[in-house]
Amino acid sequence: MIIAIDGPAGSGKSTVAKIVAKKLNFRYIDTGSMYRSIAWKSLQKNTALEDKEAVANIAFKTKIELVSSESGQLVFIDDENITDQLKMEIISRGAAIVAAQPIIREIMTTKQRQLGKQGKVVMDGRDIGTVVFPQADKKFFLDADPKERGRRRFIELKEKKQASDTDLSIIIEQVIQRDNEDRNRKIAPLKQAKDAILIDTTKLSIDQVVKKIITIINPGQKKI
Ligand code: C5P
């Protein structure tokens, strides 16, 4: 069984997907971390992210391992745990740049399909329900007001000491800009699959969104 959860930055999809996977005893796969990994490695090597050939070369050679842990998904690149570095804004920006390159998407989509083959997976991203697993058993598209999404991202970065109080409006702008890029790119743009269930999370708590999703997946089951 594959559950696809797509949506823009700050829609709550990663947090929700992680909890849903835990409750169902499924594996959680955060596909954004794969694009982030390529951006991270490229920046480490001082490679311009727009240099498609060089970035593709890096993507072919880099070993990306996603490891499930109690705290969520850990990301190892060439055996180094880089999980904590991936949420930095420079990496978010970089991920959106490399994610628009067809060859990178091809490599990542193949990896994601391999991971999905094992079954019992909750996968979150931008194109899981549309491109990676159009036959997913259940598809959800989470969305929220852009200001609220920016606010959530701000809180997340502040907790990690990667933002200060004055950065809120800048972060809202960055979130809106990244969404525009993700929605308007030519290949695998961010969009709701026709058969995905839309959940507007603007006024909902994480718990409420999780409950909605679990109820849809397991309509007969009252509590998990
Ligand atoms: O989900 P997250 O914010 O970590 O994703 C980072 C970036 O990776 C997104 O802004 C998007 O450009 C890209 N991405 C993608 N397709 C996915 C997951 C992420 O294009 N399935």
Side-chain angles (χ1 to χ4, degrees):
M1 184 171 187
I2 291 171
I3 297 164
I5 305 186
D6 288 305
S11 58
K13 63 182 170 19
S14 301
T15 312
V16 165
K18 195 173 10 178
I19 301 172
V20 168
K22 205 169 185 178
K23 284 188 185 283
L24 295 173
N25 211 9
F26 278 27
R27 181 166 181 202
Y28 164 57
I29 295 169
D30 164 11
T31 61
S33 70
M34 298 168 89
Y35 293 96
R36 287 173 182 269
S37 297
I38 300 304
W40 181 87
K41 184 75 187 273
S42 303
L43 292 171
Q44 285 279 308
K45 288 183 145 285
N46 284 324
T47 300
L49 297 172
E50 291 77 10
D51 184 342
K52 293 184 182 129
E53 232 172 86
V55 174
N57 204 21
I58 287 171
F60 274 121
K61 288 187 182 150
T62 303
K63 183 167 111 187
I64 305 175
E65 282 171 297
L66 308 180
V67 178
S68 305
S69 80
E70 257 311 294
S71 58
Q73 178 196 265
L74 302 178
V75 183
F76 288 79
I77 293 189
D78 299 325
D79 301 321
E80 183 186 352
N81 182 351
I82 53 133
T83 315
D84 289 340
Q85 298 173 53
L86 290 184
K87 284 289 170 187
M88 290 187 301
E89 184 50 35
I90 187 173
I91 305 292
S92 304
R93 224 9 253 115
I97 295 170
V98 301
Q101 298 167 12
I103 186 83
I104 301 297
R105 296 212 75 84
E106 205 179 304
I107 300 168
M108 296 304 132
T109 301
T110 304
K111 281 186 200 280
Q112 289 154 13
R113 287 185 179 142
Q114 277 164 1
L115 290 167
K117 259 194 203 155
Q118 298 158 10
K120 288 193 165 190
V121 160
V122 179
M123 198 174 274
D124 91 54
R126 301 291 185 292
D127 61 339
I128 310 305
T130 50
V131 176
V132 182
F133 287 113
Q135 309 302 334
D137 300 271
K138 284 276 183 279
K139 298 181 189 178
F140 298 92
F141 191 88
L142 270 47
D143 208 347
D145 180 82
K147 277 198 185 141
E148 172 59 17
R149 293 192 287 106
R151 196 188 63 83
R152 290 174 186 167
R153 180 94 186 109
F154 168 71
I155 292 168
E156 193 187 351
L157 287 173
K158 239 188 107 182
E159 275 169 7
K160 292 196 167 88
K161 304 215 178 335
Q162 290 172 16
S164 64
D165 287 340
T166 51
D167 289 341
L168 176 61
S169 56
I170 300 169
I171 291 169
I172 292 175
E173 277 313 308
Q174 286 168 341
V175 162
I176 293 172
Q177 192 198 337
R178 183 147 62 97
D179 284 351
N180 285 339
E181 287 173 15
D182 287 344
R183 284 183 207 273
N184 294 317
R185 70 180 173 221
K186 287 200 185 77
I187 181 158
L190 165 67
K191 68 171 181 208
Q192 184 184 345
K194 282 197 185 90
D195 51 350
I197 295 162
L198 174 67
I199 302 178
D200 183 338
T201 69
T202 310
K203 294 191 173 125
L204 299 179
S205 67
I206 289 164
D207 210 35
Q208 286 171 317
V209 182
V210 168
K211 276 198 182 121
K212 261 181 192 274
I213 291 180
I214 295 284
T215 310
I216 292 166
I217 295 171
N218 283 328
Q221 208 159 330
K222 288 245 161 17
K223 260 192 180 165
I224 292 190

